[in-house]
Amino acid sequence: MKILVIGSNSFSGSHFVKHALENNHHVIGISRSQNINPIFLPYKWEVNDKNKTLKFIQKFKFYKIDLNKNFDKLINLIDEEKPELIFNFAAQGMVAESWKNPNHWYQTNLLSQVRLHENLRKKTFLKKYIHITTPEVYGSTNNEWIKENNNFKPSTPYAISRAACDLHLRSFYEAY
């Protein structure tokens, strides 16, 4: 199976890439940053089995593409590669920093995502799109367990931008 991972250099995304490669999938990694130090990329950690390392290299392609700046390049790559699954880990994080320049958080976490979703919904080869979100959309939980159907109570520009994207995706789910 061919999987495209947007945000493949993120903490969660890089661990997912490793998991997908271990399960023999072909993976296309997309990140706005260059391939970072291998210490931060679990799929590049040395493994004792050289055949496994070679298999990982053969089944993984990486592209530096910024969702905000290289949108057409991303869509063209998706059209060329025709992945069956897309996992989206991409987001502008750093909660406290989101107060300093909220426009950047809304652009990355909402507006560019909406544009992406509008394009992806028309791809007939795409079997499933999985969007990874954050518990920040629920606000403070006082260390209590919450359910996914709890009301959103975001309290930072980061959390608001992610909650808005989640609501957008819910409307797409219901409409399409």
Side-chain angles (χ1 to χ4, degrees), residues 86-103:
I86 295 179
F87 289 82
N88 187 354
F89 292 87
Q92 180 64 33
M94 299 171 57
V95 176
E97 292 288 318
S98 71
W99 288 105
K100 293 180 182 175
N101 186 5
N103 292 350

Side-chain angles (χ1 to χ4, degrees), residues 127-138:
K127 291 182 180 176
K128 191 169 276 199
Y129 171 77
I130 294 98
H131 183 85
I132 312 304
T133 190
T134 175
E136 290 281 332
V137 299
Y138 298 107

Side-chain angles (χ1 to χ4, degrees), residues 28-103:
I28 303 150
I30 305 294
S31 181
R32 69 177 172 213
S33 60
Q34 287 290 358
N35 256 334
I36 54 180
N37 188 316
I39 193 86
F40 299 110
L41 300 172
Y43 59 87
K44 287 192 171 185
W45 293 347
E46 277 191 51
V47 289
N48 295 332
D49 182 351
K50 288 185 181 183
N51 289 332
K52 187 175 183 181
T53 302
L54 182 60
K55 225 161 124 178
F56 276 21
I57 291 168
Q58 292 171 338
K59 292 187 177 267
F60 181 73
K61 295 182 203 173
F62 174 79
Y63 297 90
K64 180 185 181 296
I65 299 175
D66 185 312
L67 185 61
N68 294 323
K69 297 175 184 172
N70 314 114
F71 186 81
D72 291 336
K73 184 177 179 181
L74 174 60
I75 297 303
N76 289 336
L77 178 67
I78 290 169
D79 287 338
E80 287 171 20
E81 292 286 349
K82 296 185 179 10
E84 296 165 271
L85 302 174
I86 295 179
F87 289 82
N88 187 354
F89 292 87
Q92 180 64 33
M94 299 171 57
V95 176
E97 292 288 318
S98 71
W99 288 105
K100 293 180 182 175
N101 186 5
N103 292 350

Side-chain angles (χ1 to χ4, degrees), residues 32 66-68 90-114 131 134 136 155-166:
R32 69 177 172 213
D66 185 312
L67 185 61
N68 294 323
Q92 180 64 33
M94 299 171 57
V95 176
E97 292 288 318
S98 71
W99 288 105
K100 293 180 182 175
N101 186 5
N103 292 350
H104 187 67
W105 271 253
Y106 290 114
Q107 179 62 48
T108 303
N109 298 348
L110 178 59
L111 299 177
S112 290
Q113 299 286 341
V114 168
H131 183 85
T134 175
E136 290 281 332
S155 60
T156 66
Y158 165 72
I160 293 166
S161 67
R162 299 301 303 269
C165 186
D166 291 353

